[in-house]
Amino acid sequence: MNKIDLAFTPALEQARLVRTKQLSPLDLVELYLERIERFNPQLGSYFTVAADLARADAVAKTEMLTKEESANLPPFFGVPIAIKDLTSVAGIRCTYGSRALMDQIAAYDDGIVTRIRAAGFIVLGKTAASELGSLPYTEPEGFAPARNPWNLDYTAGGSSGGAAAAVAAGLCAIAQGSDGGGSVRGPASCCGLVGIKPSRGRVSHAPLGDRLSGVATDGAIARNVADAAALLDVMSGYITGDPYWLPDPNPSFLTAATSKLSGSLKIGFTTTLPPLGEAAPPVQQAVLETAKLLEGIGHVVEPVSLDLSELIEPFKIVWQSGVAASGIPKEALGKMNQWLLEQTGNVSQYLRAVAQMQIIGRKIVAVFDKFDAMLLPVYMHPTIRIGEWENLSPEETLARIINWIAPCPPFNASGQPAIAIPATFDQNGLPIGVQLVSRPAAEATIIALAAQLEAAKPGSDRPAFAIAGY
């Protein structure tokens, strides 16, 4: 297998090659470190590359491979992974995309990192995130922007923009991200990938806890549904002291991705979100083509209404409160986050917003009494250029953000699972994704549905930039 094919080989297949000793963990780590050195200066997908730590882990695992029976190895033994730079990995820099934290070295592993390590993964480094994870494009001050490997003039999305750029460009096979308003699904859509935002309580926030009243959760970014589902299996589960949790999936999410979905589902779809209006024509086309494909598979698809009029203001209050909760001084923040900090109200305003959001969340979930799943855009229009909004006022920028990411936050508010999958390309050669949403704790439904769509319409996964010169 040549280097390009290996770099774009699915993580589950890489694990099989390692387990059968056709490939060593050190082979994989060296491959990705070479690609990171070559492509990351232009791409901006990694803030920190942990080359020495990754090599040391790979050497140890390669040695272990000569002694251990393959049946005893964890599922992703020897497979490299990237971790978003909002997540702590002991001994590696953790900046939160903030120039004030440029030199901060994490002293501990977050709970999901402990699970990722236990699954046998090797951490390559920390991927780029927007400042404090608050914006849907990844251009924090003091860092290179995360660019879209399909067209470097455009953003990879945010806040998990670096994770998506790295996976799409073959700088890792799989990545962890987080989603507080579309931050996994948006970058996945921008970069032509699969991104899963699980249900509230599926993935632990240990050891620190949840700052945003259940809005945010960790998720998986990969090039195919099975890899993303398998990573979600790894990350899922209760850790002592979690304030809320779900039982472990039975069967696994990987089983859902690789088993035939039996029967016909009832699926609602929409391309219109009042009060914001219609999605852009290329996005509408992506949703309508996917709806037609679902009908062809045998599902029942019909229009549905989803009005966001009551959700926008309370969600905005909760979202901008995350900037205040960071504790970073105003003068150390970027222009947009400084303005968001100034808009933050008092505790009672925040609590009222949380209560409103939860009431509206109940209404959103109630729509699913009539449907097994819902099909929507991920973003309301195609990917924006790097720096496209930098000269706008914060008020104008916020209005643009709300209108762009509108299909994502409702399901952070309701805590429902959602998966973004590739659908088509726009006139600039940039991917456009759609998202599938299901009832609370029903990840298996949309994972199986996404796998059906993937099998019916396989996509391209190799941007020209990522294979140049090979």
Side-chain angles (χ1 to χ4, degrees):
M1 185 183 299
N2 66 41
K3 287 186 175 182
I4 295 176
D5 289 342
L6 183 55
F8 285 88
T9 295
L12 284 165
E13 176 61 11
Q14 289 182 353
R16 187 193 69 80
L17 292 171
V18 169
R19 193 175 297 109
T20 56
K21 302 182 182 179
Q22 299 176 60
L23 190 66
S24 78
L26 189 57
D27 292 334
L28 282 172
V29 165
E30 292 294 356
L31 169 69
Y32 283 123
L33 290 178
E34 175 189 334
R35 289 183 64 81
I36 291 167
E37 183 177 11
R38 179 181 179 84
F39 293 113
N40 197 61
Q42 291 174 271
L43 196 62
S45 57
Y46 284 85
F47 281 164
T48 302
V49 181
D52 291 344
L53 291 174
R55 281 195 181 100
D57 194 6
V59 167
K61 283 184 166 63
T62 298
E63 176 65 22
M64 191 185 306
L65 195 62
T66 66
K67 302 173 182 177
E68 192 71 54
E69 292 293 328
S70 61
N72 298 327
L73 296 174
F76 283 102
F77 183 83
V79 175
I81 191 172
I83 305 296
K84 184 178 177 179
D85 206 27
L86 300 186
T87 300
S88 289
V89 180
I92 303 179
R93 190 170 68 139
C94 188
T95 72
Y96 295 90
S98 170
R99 56 188 172 171
L101 302 174
M102 283 280 201
D103 299 321
Q104 175 177 264
I105 305 297
Y108 62 90
D109 283 345
D110 275 344
I112 57 163
V113 174
T114 300
R115 292 187 184 277
I116 284 168
R117 290 192 194 276
F121 282 111
I122 296 172
V123 176
L124 286 171
K126 305 294 291 299
T127 54
S130 60
E131 187 180 62
L132 307 182
S134 62
L135 301 172
Y137 45 88
T138 304
E139 304 170 29
E141 294 183 10
F143 300 84
R147 297 179 179 274
N148 195 311
W150 292 92
N151 187 327
L152 296 181
D153 291 334
Y154 289 79
T155 183
S159 60
S160 305
V167 174
L171 306 192
C172 59
I174 196 166
Q176 169 266 348
S178 55
D179 191 314
S183 288
V184 161
R185 289 163 288 163
S189 176
C190 290
C191 294
L193 302 170
V194 175
I196 301 178
K197 182 202 85 70
S199 296
R200 181 176 299 144
R202 179 68 69 195
V203 178
S204 174
H205 290 281
L208 297 182
D210 167 26
R211 292 188 310 174
L212 290 174
S213 301
V215 164
T217 182
D218 289 278
I221 295 176
R223 281 191 295 275
N224 64 39
V225 175
D227 275 4
L231 179 54
L232 182 56
D233 281 325
V234 166
M235 294 194 297
S236 295
Y238 172 80
I239 295 178
T240 302
D242 285 344
Y244 39 73
W245 61 91
L246 292 173
D248 292 338
N250 185 21
S252 70
F253 295 132
L254 177 57
T255 299
T258 53
S259 301
K260 187 176 180 180
L261 182 63
S262 60
S264 173
L265 299 183
K266 188 174 182 183
I267 301 167
F269 78 95
T270 186
T271 60
T272 305
L273 293 174
L276 303 173
E278 284 275 358
V283 176
Q284 291 185 48
Q285 179 185 351
V287 171
L288 295 174
E289 287 179 354
T290 305
K292 190 172 182 179
L293 191 56
L294 287 166
E295 282 187 322
I297 293 170
H299 301 295
V300 177
V301 182
E302 60 184 59
V304 65
S305 175
L306 187 66
D307 191 332
L308 305 185
S309 301
E310 296 178 300
L311 177 63
I312 292 172
E313 189 59 29
F315 191 91
K316 185 170 65 175
I317 291 169
V318 173
W319 168 59
Q320 68 193 24
S321 297
V323 178
S326 73
I328 294 175
K330 175 182 173 182
E331 59 273 12
L333 296 171
K335 178 181 75 171
M336 188 65 193
N337 277 328
Q338 284 192 22
W339 182 81
L340 289 173
L341 183 61
E342 292 168 357
Q343 310 311 305
T344 304
N346 54 32
V347 172
S348 62
Q349 183 188 31
Y350 173 82
L351 292 175
R352 283 196 300 272
V354 170
Q356 287 176 285
M357 191 176 66
Q358 290 176 350
I359 291 168
I360 298 159
R362 292 180 187 277
K363 295 180 180 178
I364 293 170
V365 175
V367 175
F368 286 78
D369 289 344
K370 300 177 181 178
F371 297 99
D372 298 295
M374 191 180 294
L375 167 68
L376 306 99
V378 176
Y379 283 169
M380 293 293 275
H381 61 76
T383 309
I384 62 171
R385 288 182 176 272
I386 296 287
E388 184 168 328
W389 298 340
E390 65 183 358
N391 294 322
L392 300 178
S393 69
E395 294 92 338
E396 290 172 317
T397 302
L398 180 59
R400 299 287 182 94
I401 289 171
I402 289 171
N403 279 278
W404 191 30
I405 71 168
C408 288
F411 309 108
N412 295 90
S414 67
Q416 290 169 263
I419 184 170
I421 55 172
T424 189
F425 289 86
D426 71 9
Q427 68 274 17
N428 298 308
L430 289 155
I432 295 175
V434 296
Q435 67 172 324
L436 297 164
V437 185
S438 193
R439 297 165 182 160
E443 286 95 334
T445 299
I446 50 173
I447 287 171
L449 201 55
Q452 269 194 333
L453 287 168
E454 183 179 73
K457 187 183 178 183
S460 171
D461 65 352
R462 299 188 185 187
F465 163 78
I467 59 176
Y470 275 76

